């Protein structure tokens, strides 16, 4: 497999990062202590390079109708400036990817404009699927263009309680309200100082850590300048660079699924607890609608007999991905993600378990290399920030 490097790779090397392969990208795993990075995001702020994520622009007169057809959610109902979490599914309801779509102001010709953000390893797959679906959803195809700009775009995130204050130091005073009034799952064009010059960049407020935070989309050539500016201005507010290790522990605490762990082509939205993401009520047909309708009627766990749950450890040892989940010594599920929670102080995991064992309060065990360790089914998420 070809190794990909973000525009910030040299910045990470200078900071002493250790690297790991993620979706074909060499990404910083941690810089020093993953625990310190985790706690920084919970207590002050962490700086993430997310440039391995994809960016696909969908524009044209039929953009809203097309995304209603291509994705499981009703993207036409999203207001300009807002964002929506959605899924792109196969005909059988299997999940190709989970993604966020931002509806941007119409172009000069008045046509709709969306930015679709898929996961790292799926970016090319999603872009290709969208291009195919654009030509197949109705007679003559949809009047849209699908433009994958992933290779030329960097994405930098500031996450944590101090994220807003740090970002405001780089935004002109007259635009501060654009940042402070930006709601969750929304985006706006705002001026941000990079290399001494104010640039209009797309700023989003979504996040994947359970904390407040922002994502900044920027051309590759300017990414290093922004990265350095954020570290400099954020130093006095506890900002440190953070890698994928702490990003994984943060998103697990927040009960957020990871594609390849909790989500896959073999699974489906209902078993994964993502039924509300699927809009069966929208007027238009969409790919996977028939299969998803049947799955919903059959109930959570249909097709697999299992449902995604949270597991709270009652002991000290943590379960890991693919470890068996037991009930009275019998296998009733499998862990998808698990580790000790730095914030909560006990082991946590997400797992698919038999529907009959999915009720909160159910006592289960995880097979930790031959030893049964006690866990309890709990509602997700494990952690919610105090707003």
């Amino acid at each position: 497999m070809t190794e990909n490097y973000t525009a910030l790779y040299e910045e990470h090397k200078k900071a002493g990062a250790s690297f790991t392969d993620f979706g074909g990208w060499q990404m910083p795993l941690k810089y020093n202590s993953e625990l310190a990075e985790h706690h920084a995001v919970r207590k002050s702020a962490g700086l993430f390079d997310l440039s391995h994520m994809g960016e696909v622009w969908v524009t044209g007169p039929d953009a809203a109708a097309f995304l209603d057809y291509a994705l499981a959610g009703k993207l036409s109902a999203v207001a300009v400036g807002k964002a929506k979490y959605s899924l792109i599914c196969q005909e059988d309801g299997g999940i190709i990817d989970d993604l966020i779509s931002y509806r941007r102001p119409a172009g000069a010709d008045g046509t709709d404009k969306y930015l679709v953000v898929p996961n790292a390893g799926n970016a090319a797959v999603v872009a290709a699927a969208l291009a195919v679906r654009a030509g197949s959803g109705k007679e003559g195809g949809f009047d849209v263009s699908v433009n994958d700009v992933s290779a030329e775009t960097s994405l930098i995130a500031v996450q944590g309680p101090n994220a807003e204050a740090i970002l405001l130091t780089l935004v002109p005073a007259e635009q501060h309200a654009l940042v402070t009034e930006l709601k969750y799952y929304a985006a706006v064009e705002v001026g941000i100082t990079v290399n001494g010059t104010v640039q209009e960049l797309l700023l989003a407020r979504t996040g994947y850590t359970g904390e407040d935070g922002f994502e900044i989309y920027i051309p590759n050539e300017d990414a290093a300048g922004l990265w350095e500016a954020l570290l400099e201005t954020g130093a006095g507010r506890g900002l440190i660079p953070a890698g994928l290790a702490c990003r994984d522990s943060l998103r697990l605490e927040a009960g957020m699924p990871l594609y390849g762990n909790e989500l896959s082509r073999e699974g489906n939205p209902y078993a994964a607890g993502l039924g509300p993401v699927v809009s069966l009520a929208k007027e238009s047909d969409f790919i996977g609608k028939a299969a998803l309708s049947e799955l919903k009627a059959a109930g959570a766990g249909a097709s697999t007999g299992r449902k995604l749950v949270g597991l709270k450890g009652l002991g000290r040892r943590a379960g890991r991905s693919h470890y068996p989940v037991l009930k009275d010594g019998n296998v009733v599920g499998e862990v998808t993600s698990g580790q000790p929670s730095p914030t909560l102080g006990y082991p946590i995991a997400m797992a698919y378990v038999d529907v009959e064992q999915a009720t909160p309060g159910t006592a289960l065990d995880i097979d930790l290399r031959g030893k049964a360790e006690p866990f309890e089914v709990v509602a997700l998420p494990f952690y919610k920030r105090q707003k």
Side-chain angles (χ1 to χ4, degrees):
M1 178 184 290
T2 301
E3 288 187 343
N4 297 295
Y5 301 87
T6 76
L8 294 168
Y9 180 73
E10 293 300 325
E11 296 295 321
H12 304 318
K13 285 178 62 178
K14 285 192 296 184
S18 56
F19 291 87
T20 186
D21 177 86
F22 187 81
W25 292 81
Q26 284 296 302
M27 298 299 296
L29 180 66
K30 61 180 181 178
Y31 297 84
N32 187 4
S33 164
E34 60 193 80
L35 283 177
E37 293 167 24
H38 180 108
H39 289 307
V41 175
R42 289 280 180 252
K43 297 175 182 178
S44 50
L47 185 64
F48 295 89
D49 178 11
L50 307 182
S51 305
H52 56 318
M53 301 289 283
E55 291 85 20
V56 183
W57 285 101
V58 176
T59 58
D62 291 343
F66 164 64
L67 288 175
D68 278 353
Y69 167 76
L71 306 182
K74 189 173 182 179
L75 277 297
S76 61
V78 178
V80 172
K82 300 297 184 180
K84 186 175 181 64
Y85 177 79
S86 191
L87 304 168
I88 181 169
C89 294
Q90 303 173 146
E91 287 284 5
D92 65 0
I95 302 169
I96 296 173
D97 199 15
D98 63 327
L99 36 78
I100 297 176
S101 298
Y102 299 91
R103 190 168 193 172
R104 307 304 307 133
D109 57 357
T111 59
D112 287 330
K113 188 176 184 181
Y114 292 80
L115 175 62
V116 179
V117 182
N119 287 299
N122 290 331
V125 173
V126 170
L130 290 174
V132 169
R133 295 178 184 196
S136 64
K138 69 174 185 177
E139 186 176 352
F142 289 95
D143 187 2
V144 294
S145 65
V146 177
N147 184 22
D148 184 0
V149 298
S150 305
E152 60 207 60
T153 307
S154 290
L155 178 56
I156 296 173
V158 187
Q159 296 280 304
N162 295 343
E164 182 179 286
I166 292 167
L167 186 61
L168 288 175
T169 63
L170 300 179
V171 174
E174 63 271 18
Q175 292 192 6
H176 278 193
L178 293 176
V179 177
T180 59
E181 296 175 8
L182 188 64
K183 302 298 184 183
Y184 187 55
Y185 261 68
V188 66
E189 297 279 348
V190 67
I192 299 177
T193 304
V194 182
N195 295 325
T197 302
V198 176
Q199 298 186 28
E200 288 293 314
L201 299 172
L202 181 62
L203 176 73
R205 197 170 203 163
T206 51
Y208 190 59
T209 63
E211 298 298 334
D212 186 25
F214 300 86
E215 299 80 40
I216 306 166
Y217 295 84
I218 186 169
N220 286 344
E221 58 269 24
D222 299 317
L226 176 60
W227 181 268
E228 292 169 356
L230 285 165
L231 284 177
E232 181 178 353
T233 193
R237 294 178 173 86
L239 179 71
I240 62 173
L244 291 186
C246 83
R247 186 168 172 81
D248 193 47
S249 56
L250 290 160
R251 69 92 192 168
L252 178 57
E253 290 182 344
M256 296 183 178
L258 175 65
Y259 194 88
N261 288 40
E262 287 72 41
L263 307 178
S264 71
R265 291 174 181 258
E266 290 70 41
N268 70 77
Y270 297 105
L274 297 177
V277 175
V278 180
S279 180
L280 295 174
K282 60 184 175 181
E283 300 80 9
S284 62
D285 191 16
F286 65 92
I287 292 181
K289 183 175 185 178
L292 290 169
S293 297
E294 293 181 5
L295 288 166
K296 182 179 182 181
S303 81
T304 63
R306 288 180 172 175
K307 180 181 179 182
L308 187 67
V309 300
L311 295 176
K312 174 184 177 180
L314 304 181
R316 299 181 61 86
R317 299 176 68 203
R320 303 290 180 175
S321 180
H322 301 302
Y323 281 20
V325 179
L326 310 175
K327 180 67 174 180
D328 299 327
N330 299 311
V331 176
V332 296
E334 183 176 300
V335 174
T336 55
S337 299
Q339 60 180 289
S341 166
T343 303
L344 303 173
Y346 51 77
I348 58 174
M350 287 196 281
Y352 279 99
V353 302
D354 293 349
V355 173
E356 297 78 11
Q357 309 297 337
T359 304
T362 301
L364 297 173
D365 297 313
I366 293 180
D367 183 347
L368 301 185
R369 299 179 180 176
K371 181 180 179 181
E373 189 75 10
F375 280 75
E376 178 184 357
V377 176
V378 295
L380 294 170
F382 301 101
Y383 164 87
K384 284 186 178 180
R385 68 183 175 95
Q386 299 299 311
K387 298 182 180 181

